[in-house]
């Protein structure tokens, strides 16, 4: 349950999403003032009145949910004033994937520099900001913590409100920055290394989950395939497999499309990964030998596997998307768009195939540019800005917050309410320690208004 007012008497203000209509925000703070009069109240109350009532909003967004340290500054006109990303590509190549502790240390080393560079490139200081937005989940707890601590430090030092952002909602809403004609309701397919999600976006903060992965996401399957084929992981597995697949015969290896018998919108890539691994073993491909050093025959074998894998992996997306669009149109007949976002949405083959799907269904495909598909600070800043306009934010954190302060991190945080027809028994045992969905929290708080 999300409270409508912060527990101002608490020495630690947790970074939880507070859902308050902006027209009532100042009045509520004034009513609460009778009980507690924190030092920041007067200036913050005036700040809220001024900021929400005009369109000159400037938000700093911070993203550290996985393996990239990112920050950006965006204004309410949709202008990207700056964007900075520090990649951990070398670590990914060294460890063959994300190593949480190493990723945390890498974030900690560069977070101050990344945020400062984002401000410098925007020709702004913290005093010019309206608010700070930061990803609080889902993601790796160790990594999330670095970004949240930095955001709280900036907000506390400069008396700025905070907006806690859902990582997958940010991937969804960045499409509204790119295409300002994109209005609710719309469909969205979110595909990345850790997520496969099909949602119906009914309104800001109101989502229906039509399908998700019951095991591995498509990005994870791409990464593992790249690793087993001995590809260069410094670019990440997806681009490496996509490039090699162009040299191969996509029908040379007969992989089975996952979950053909399941008439729902859920995904599964664990079985396809196993099929790929067995095909690589059957062809005696040695991943220790780099692609550049492989013989022509072995390079062709690797390319055939890459192309065959990609064809089936994306066909799985196509089939589930078609069904999800049908479900979505039954719920909201006015849907006109399918948003495809997340790191895998950078893949040109994925975009081309899904373009055919939406054409058959009479919809328009909306894909952010590749630089806004992978994890970035722009999507966090924009999502924070959209919620800030509705008065959904926290007050500035207390000054001199202790380093061991309990932070509200949500590593397992669903975005929307699960659609009844889309529920999977295979996922029923995976709900332990899962935070209530963003949508359910918003609905619960609205009922308390």
């Amino acid at each position: 349950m999300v409270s409508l007012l912060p527990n101002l008497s608490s020495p630690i203000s947790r970074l939880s999403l507070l859902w308050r209509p902006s027209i009532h925000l100042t009045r509520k703070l004034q009513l609460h003032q009778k009980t507690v009069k924190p030092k920041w109240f007067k200036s913050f109350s005036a700040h809220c009145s001024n900021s929400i009532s005009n369109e000159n909003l400037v938000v700093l967004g911070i993203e550290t949910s996985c393996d990239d340290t990112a920050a950006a500054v965006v204004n309410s006109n949709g202008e990207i004033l700056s964007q900075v990303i520090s990649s951990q590509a070398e670590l990914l190549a060294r460890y063959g994937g994300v190593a949480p502790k190493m990723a945390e240390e890498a974030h900690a080393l560069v977070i101050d520099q990344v945020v400062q560079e984002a401000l410098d490139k925007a020709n702004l200081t913290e005093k010019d900001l309206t608010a700070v937005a930061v990803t609080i989940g889902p993601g790796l707890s160790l990594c999330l913590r670095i970004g949240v601590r930095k955001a709280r430090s900036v907000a506390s030092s400069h008396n700025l409100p905070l907006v806690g952002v859902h990582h997958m909602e940010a991937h969804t809403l960045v499409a509204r920055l790119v295409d300002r004609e994109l209005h609710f309701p719309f469909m969205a397919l979110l595909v990345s290394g850790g997520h496969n999600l099909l949602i119906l976006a009914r309104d800001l903060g109101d989502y229906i989950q039509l399908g998700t992965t019951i095991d591995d996401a498509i990005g994870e399957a791409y990464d593992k395939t790249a690793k087993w084929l001995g590809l260069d992981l410094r670019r990440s597995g997806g681009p490496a497999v996509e490039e090699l697949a162009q040299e191969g015969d996509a029908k040379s290896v007969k992989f089975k499309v996952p979950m053909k018998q399941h008439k729902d919108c859920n995904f599964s890539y664990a079985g396809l990964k196993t099929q790929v691994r067995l095909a690589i073993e059957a062809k005696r491909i040695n991943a220790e030998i780099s692609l550049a050093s492989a013989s022509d025959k072995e390079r062709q074998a690797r390319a055939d596997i890459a192309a065959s894998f990609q064809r089936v992996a994306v066909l799985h997306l196509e089939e589930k998307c078609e069904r999800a669009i049908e479900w979505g149109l039954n719920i909201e007949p006015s849907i006109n768009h399918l948003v495809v976002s997340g790191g895998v949405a950078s893949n040109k083959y994925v975009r081309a195939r899904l373009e055919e799907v939406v054409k058959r269904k009479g919809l328009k495909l909306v894909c952010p540019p590749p630089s806004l598909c992978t994890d970035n600070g722009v999507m966090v800043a924009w999502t924070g800005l959209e919620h800030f306009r509705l008065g959904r934010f926290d007050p500035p954190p207390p000054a001199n917050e202790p380093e061991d302060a309990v932070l509200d991190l949500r590593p397992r945080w669903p975005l929307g309410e699960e659609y009844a027809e889309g529920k999977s028994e295979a996922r029923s045992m995976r709900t332990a320690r899962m935070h209530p969905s963003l949508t359910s929290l918003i609905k619960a708080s609205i009922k308390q208004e």
Side-chain angles (χ1 to χ4, degrees), residues 125-145:
T125 69
E126 291 88 347
K127 293 179 181 179
D128 299 308
L129 299 174
T130 307
V132 180
V134 61
T135 302
I136 63 173
L140 301 172
S141 292
L142 291 174
C143 298
L144 290 167
R145 183 178 292 110

Side-chain angles (χ1 to χ4, degrees), residues 223-237:
D223 288 343
K224 282 295 190 292
T225 298
K227 181 180 179 180
W228 295 334
L229 288 175
L231 307 185
D232 185 354
L233 297 179
R234 285 175 296 181
R235 300 177 53 202
S236 83

Side-chain angles (χ1 to χ4, degrees), residues 63-66 135-141 144 165-170 194-195 197 375 409-415:
E63 158 63 30
T64 62
S65 66
C66 190
T135 302
I136 63 173
L140 301 172
S141 292
L144 290 167
V165 170
H166 191 293
H167 181 77
M168 300 312 292
E169 185 184 35
H195 302 275
L197 202 57
D375 292 352
L409 309 176
R410 304 177 182 183
R412 300 188 67 199
W413 188 17
L415 177 58

